[in-house]
Amino acid sequence: PSDALVGGHQVENALQLADKKAALVLREKELESHKNVLSDALSLLLTDKELQLSYQTRIHELAMPHAADEVARLLIRVGA
């Protein structure tokens, strides 16, 4: 996520997922100051099957597959 974007919403969303053990967050500052951060993270994610399963399970638990429909219904109801 980019810290430079207005409101920092990408960072906040990413950090919420990381706090719930559903994602690994690499900040731009880390990528710029440590040359191996990205390759180390990718290597870990590609080789650690237990970590892959953990992230898969947690992100599935947090998923809201019908969120767009729910938001659309709410907007229609509010606009009516």
Side-chain angles (χ1 to χ4, degrees):
S2 175
D3 291 309
L5 295 176
V6 177
H9 63 279
Q10 285 186 345
V11 173
E12 289 300 318
N13 290 340
L15 291 175
Q16 286 183 21
L17 291 174
D19 287 345
K20 294 177 171 104
K21 308 293 187 225
L24 174 66
V25 176
L26 301 175
R27 307 286 289 263
E28 282 189 65
K29 290 181 277 188
E30 293 174 276
L31 295 173
E32 293 168 356
S33 62
H34 304 289
K35 68 177 187 168
N36 292 331
V37 169
L38 181 58
S39 61
D40 290 348
L42 289 173
S43 180
L44 176 66
L45 292 170
L46 292 171
T47 59
D48 189 331
K49 300 298 181 189
E50 188 173 312
L51 182 61
Q52 291 172 12
L53 181 59
S54 174
Y55 281 169
Q56 177 184 2
T57 300
R58 293 296 299 142
I59 203 71
H60 180 72
E61 292 170 355
L62 296 169
M64 299 175 70
H66 303 290
D69 291 335
E70 292 175 26
V71 169
R73 278 193 289 280
L74 177 62
L75 290 173
I76 290 169
R77 190 172 26 158
V78 170

